[in-house]
Amino acid sequence: MPRFYVTTPIYYVNDAPHVGHAYTTVNADALARWHRLAGDEVFFLTGTDEHGDKVARAAKENGASPTDWVDATSRRFVEAWRGLNISNDDFIRTTEPRHRVAVQSFLQRVYDNGFIELGTYSGWYCVGCEEYKDTSDLLEGRVCPHHRRPVEWLEEENYFFKLSAFSERLVDFYERHPDAIRPPGRRNEVLGFIKGGLQDISITRTSTTWGVPVPWDAAHVFYVWYDALINYVTAIGYGQDDERFVSWWPAVHHLLAKDIVRFHCVWWPAMCMAAGIDPPGHLVVHGWLLVGGERLSKTRIASAAGNADKAGPLSLTEIAPEALTEDFGVDAVRYFLLRDTAFGADGDFSYEGITSRFNADLANNLGNLMARVAMVVASKCKGVGPKPDPASRLQSVSAGAVADAISAWNDAQPHLALEATWRLIHETNSELESAEPWKCEPGPVVDAVLGSALEVLRIVSVLTWPAMPEVCAEIWRRLGLPGSPDGCRVPADTAWGGYPGGLVVEKGAALFPRRAR
RNA sequence: GGCGGCGUAGCUCAGUCGGUAGAGCACACGGCUCAUAAUCGUGGGGUCGCGGGUUCGAGUCCCGCCGCCGCUACCA
């Protein structure tokens, strides 16, 4: 059985879950759900990144122990994902014992292989930022641009990862696997960066104890990024269950936003090579959601997010997913995130944007189709859904849409998959207009038209299940079908003719009540 | 500065190997009234950023310019 391993980055617990996190996570979830429909064995991983001095300090400021602090902050992500119907199979936390074991095992291997050595890290350090600054980033008089205070020269003994040893191997790997990084523009950026020459990087800290201890030197803990990336192998048993590990690795799909490309596309593959395992197979990079739209939209989003009093424009990171799902419903938010932005490109996030998608796609097209079909079935077929017409024009329309949707889902392009699916909805509305079953006497002609429309709704609820599981299950139920779309298999259950007929069709309330404006 | 990308209808964008410009949304008009003032049909003459060049012919190739954006190492 084919396997599909998909990950999100693990989210840093100092952030509150926001729409940017939700964007990546919903995309990963939709892909996971799609591959489950396809019959693949799926492992969908997300989690939280909980080490680093910033976390330790935040805990202290809040009068909590680091452990209590990360327990509380990590839980917010668990709850946010529950609220968005995220179907992750595992939720990893870097403070878990299994992760400490994996990190120590992984990096001990890298050390044993000779790719870690002791060195001195020195540079201009900003106490406020808690990080070293490049001289080119500093203002006049060696002042930190963020904190407006002078930086200090620090030297620290650190262990270094010999990243420089992997330039050629990385280039070679990416040239032999041209699809390893998508989209191609990101791949080119990475190749350009690598070819520009790689420097060794420090991977341990002595300035904090809130991290994974370096097994061969108790004075150090691993730098948080080095610890974090390894989560991807921890969760599938690295260092603890080799049989399980090799069954999932390296055919992984890492979803990530463009700002963390280097960590995932340069550091992480090199680390894997250094540890003697294959680099990750698929790095899928997407853009950022940007807050755009009119001033009104910001006001309304601010209002929805409980930030109505905040002055000035609202940033994406201030918008809580719960504020949106309360307002629009889980399915509509998921649909917007998946449909409105071409995966890979930057997208615009606005209240108008969601409202527009909600009304045009969900209320007017999908919801209304369900309502009008159910109504006519009630009046012309005594509420019992007829069989689809094998010769319906919609049969070939459906076949085309299904093929396109399958291809797009398989290619991690949800917006195209949904676009193709909605083409089928549109054609079905069109077909109803020309057949006008509500004007006809009950009989075979009416049955053929309505049965075909019901069949479209069945197929649509399978194709759309990865995006909107709740409403698809509801449509399924209203069609009188047993179970739910998640019991289906693609492509078998998207073939024309699957609706058996003879089932009681329920009208029900509007699936997506149209919204004002 | 260097490398890369983009600039097409009000908005978001498609435009394969060069051959008289397309989709969705929005808008307008018409039809229908089964349906959530929903739906269906029709309507897009936009210097394809600007200026040159190659060609029988260029949004589509080449050069220059303007504008915008990405990357150019230790931020999760």
Side-chain angles (χ1 to χ4, degrees):
Chain A
M1 184 186 293
R3 295 193 156 212
F4 184 74
Y5 176 26
V6 61
T7 70
T8 74
I10 49 174
Y11 303 116
Y12 203 55
V13 285
N14 273 11
D15 284 342
H18 58 71
V19 181
H21 299 121
Y23 180 73
T24 310
T25 308
V26 165
N27 269 285
D29 183 63
L31 295 178
R33 288 175 183 272
W34 173 257
H35 282 271
R36 291 191 194 109
L37 282 184
D40 296 348
E41 191 171 342
V42 170
F43 188 66
F44 169 22
L45 177 70
T46 187
T48 43
D49 184 8
E50 306 185 1
H51 284 133
D53 201 40
K54 287 184 189 177
V55 173
R57 206 168 64 157
K60 198 169 191 176
E61 285 168 1
N62 285 276
S65 70
T67 303
D68 289 346
W69 173 249
V70 297
D71 282 352
T73 50
S74 177
R75 194 176 305 126
R76 295 180 305 176
F77 284 89
V78 172
E79 287 166 1
W81 303 154
R82 188 187 306 135
L84 278 167
N85 245 334
I86 302 303
S87 64
N88 52 298
D89 297 295
D90 195 356
F91 187 98
I92 190 168
R93 302 179 51 190
T94 56
T95 49
E96 291 177 272
R98 61 171 170 162
H99 184 60
R100 192 186 64 245
V101 170
V103 168
Q104 292 188 330
S105 167
F106 188 101
L107 288 167
Q108 181 72 54
R109 182 70 61 85
V110 176
Y111 185 67
D112 293 344
N113 288 344
F115 295 112
I116 293 176
E117 53 186 37
L118 200 58
T120 301
Y121 192 86
S122 59
W124 296 101
Y125 186 84
C126 172
V127 178
C129 297
E130 289 191 274
E131 66 190 38
Y132 288 94
K133 296 288 178 184
D134 196 90
T135 49
S136 62
D137 293 333
L138 297 176
L139 304 177
E140 216 42 47
R142 300 199 197 288
V143 171
C144 167
H146 297 119
H147 293 84
R148 305 274 165 182
R149 59 205 272 187
V151 293
E152 333 173 353
W153 181 259
L154 283 189
E155 293 189 4
E156 189 180 1
E157 187 179 70
N158 280 330
Y159 286 94
F160 280 72
F161 174 58
K162 297 187 73 173
L163 184 63
S164 59
F166 293 91
S167 298
E168 281 182 30
R169 292 173 62 179
L170 285 169
V171 170
D172 187 54
F173 175 76
Y174 285 128
E175 287 184 342
R176 277 186 304 169
H177 300 87
D179 295 329
I181 299 173
R182 287 186 304 162
R186 296 295 168 195
R187 171 179 186 268
N188 293 339
E189 276 182 15
V190 169
L191 276 171
F193 178 80
I194 296 169
K195 287 174 179 172
L198 297 177
Q199 298 170 17
D200 297 341
I201 34 187
S202 72
I203 62 166
T204 67
R205 297 287 123 100
T206 53
S207 52
T208 184
T209 56
W210 187 241
V212 177
V214 173
W216 60 86
D217 188 338
H220 294 254
V221 298
F222 288 111
Y223 172 51
V224 62
W225 256 117
Y226 264 66
D227 153 7
L229 289 163
I230 292 169
N231 91 85
Y232 298 129
V233 294
T234 299
I236 50 171
Y238 180 86
Q240 293 162 92
D241 184 346
D242 286 343
E243 192 178 339
R244 177 156 179 256
F245 174 72
V246 299
S247 75
W248 291 104
W249 196 262
V252 62
H253 290 72
H254 290 316
L255 264 57
L256 56 136
K258 62 185 185 180
D259 55 325
I260 51 176
V261 163
R262 183 176 317 128
F263 304 109
H264 284 81
C265 301
V266 181
W267 291 13
W268 175 229
M271 288 166 67
C272 290
M273 290 171 174
I277 64 174
D278 287 331
H282 306 278
L283 297 147
V284 186
V285 183
H286 67 250
W288 280 346
L289 229 41
L290 308 169
V291 173
E294 301 166 12
R295 197 170 292 122
L296 177 64
S297 73
K298 290 171 182 166
T299 305
R300 296 185 71 168
I301 291 170
S303 174
N307 278 319
D309 299 334
K310 184 179 182 297
L314 198 63
S315 85
L316 188 73
T317 56
E318 293 170 295
I319 303 167
E322 301 92 292
L324 298 172
T325 55
E326 278 172 24
D327 203 354
F328 289 93
V330 180
D331 280 336
V333 172
R334 292 173 56 105
Y335 179 81
F336 173 79
L337 293 175
L338 294 165
R339 173 66 186 87
D340 206 60
T341 299
F343 189 84
D346 287 349
D348 284 310
F349 180 90
S350 70
Y351 195 95
E352 282 85 347
I354 300 188
T355 303
S356 174
R357 284 292 175 193
F358 187 98
N359 284 339
D361 295 0
L362 303 183
N364 297 352
N365 283 302
L366 176 58
N368 186 54
L369 178 62
M370 177 75 239
R372 71 195 303 203
V373 170
M375 199 61 167
V376 183
V377 167
S379 64
K380 299 291 178 181
C381 310
K382 298 180 174 151
V384 178
K387 286 185 180 176
D389 175 9
S392 170
R393 180 181 76 86
L394 293 174
Q395 185 275 329
S396 61
V397 172
S398 176
V402 165
D404 288 349
I406 287 176
S407 162
W409 277 118
N410 285 340
D411 202 29
Q413 299 281 296
H415 67 294
L416 294 178
L418 293 169
E419 185 180 55
T421 304
W422 257 251
R423 220 165 56 222
L424 174 56
I425 293 171
H426 171 260
E427 290 297 326
T428 304
N429 273 317
S430 180
E431 185 68 12
L432 288 173
E433 289 295 326
S434 61
E436 298 185 304
W438 46 86
K439 282 187 177 176
C440 307
E441 290 302 314
V445 174
V446 167
D447 287 352
V449 171
L450 294 176
S452 297
L454 291 166
E455 171 65 344
V456 165
L457 284 164
R458 186 193 68 82
I459 291 170
V460 165
S461 67
V462 177
L463 293 178
T464 310
W465 161 264
M468 300 195 288
E470 283 185 5
V471 77
C472 289
E474 174 62 10
I475 292 171
W476 197 261
R477 192 188 65 74
R478 290 189 188 187
L479 295 179
L481 292 162
S484 95
D486 71 339
C488 291
R489 282 294 168 269
V490 171
D493 290 323
T494 53
W496 189 260
Y499 186 68
L503 303 175
V504 174
V505 174
E506 182 183 318
K507 167 81 165 65
L511 257 16
F512 297 99
R514 191 181 159 82
R515 316 190 111 240
R517 282 191 86 260

